[in-house]
Amino acid sequence: MRNDRENNDQSTLVNEHIRAPRVQLITHEGENLGVVPRDLALRVAREAGLDLVMLSEQGSEGVPVTKVMDFGKALYAKKKKMAEAKKHQKTLQIKELKFRPKIGEHDFKTKMNQAIQFLNAGKRLKITLVFRGREMVLREQHGQEMFDKISAALEAAGVTNVIQEKDSRAGKLWSRTFILKH
């Protein structure tokens, strides 16, 4: 039987932490004993060498539903199930490349090679244009020209199934997110 101080799962009430005077009791074999006094339910759990765990605060009869079970084993199974679910989650990676409007041709080609590698690897790509000082005056014109140049470079490299997801502008930054459609 668990020591009550070991109750790590704060949302689940176990043993003496259950304060209701009467509870609906389900045994460890799954047999429903109906509504019984809490002390009797605790005694049944102790005799079985297990814990009394509150499953629901209000059952069909308006009293808490409790079950006699090994609480540590149930917590372990819950953690294992969550770890398994986390293992099968698909993580989304967004890679970001920053460009300036007056970028050199060689630097542009290098960054475009990286962009193509990221897209072919199945990652999302966020391209951000950074404007400073006087560049802000012609931001619309230079920004659109730069994104057109980027799209042309992607097409020239054979990456034609790219979709643009998001276009955001904030102060000095103008960014677009690109995804390779499979």
Side-chain angles (χ1 to χ4, degrees), residues 3 10 29 45 65 78 91 96-97 115 121 137 140 152 154 158 166:
N3 184 349
Q10 299 298 325
E29 287 114 12
V65 178
K78 183 179 177 182
T91 57
E96 182 176 17
L97 292 176
V137 176
E140 293 295 320
L154 289 174
K166 196 168 46 172

Side-chain angles (χ1 to χ4, degrees), residues 37-89:
R38 182 187 76 127
D39 296 334
L40 176 63
L42 282 169
R43 195 171 337 127
V44 169
R46 282 192 190 107
E47 287 172 2
L50 299 171
D51 301 304
L52 182 65
V53 180
M54 183 184 295
L55 300 178
S56 172
E57 291 206 22
Q58 281 205 332
S60 59
E61 299 179 28
V63 294
V65 178
T66 58
K67 183 172 183 177
V68 176
M69 61 174 25
D70 185 351
F71 187 61
K73 198 175 200 178
L75 276 180
Y76 178 76
K78 183 179 177 182
K79 285 181 184 176
K80 289 291 273 184
K81 188 175 179 182
M82 289 183 71
E84 188 68 26
K86 188 175 182 181
K87 201 186 303 183
H88 294 294
Q89 283 180 344

Side-chain angles (χ1 to χ4, degrees), residues 108 112 129 140-156 164 174 176 178:
F108 179 79
M112 288 311 301
L129 298 180
E140 293 295 320
Q141 180 184 353
H142 289 307
Q144 194 57 50
E145 288 173 4
M146 194 68 174
F147 279 124
D148 291 342
K149 185 176 177 182
I150 291 168
S151 295
L154 289 174
E155 286 181 24
Q164 174 189 331
W174 183 357
R176 280 193 185 162
F178 295 90

Side-chain angles (χ1 to χ4, degrees), residues 103-120:
I103 189 170
E105 192 60 35
H106 183 349
D107 294 337
F108 179 79
K109 287 180 181 176
T110 302
K111 288 192 181 224
M112 288 311 301
N113 287 338
Q114 287 178 333
I116 291 164
Q117 287 176 355
F118 293 149
L119 288 171
N120 287 334

Side-chain angles (χ1 to χ4, degrees), residues 128-129 131 136 139 167-175:
T128 304
L129 298 180
F131 296 94
M136 292 291 290
R139 180 173 73 160
D167 196 7
S168 66
R169 300 174 192 193
K172 304 187 236 185
L173 305 177
W174 183 357
S175 61

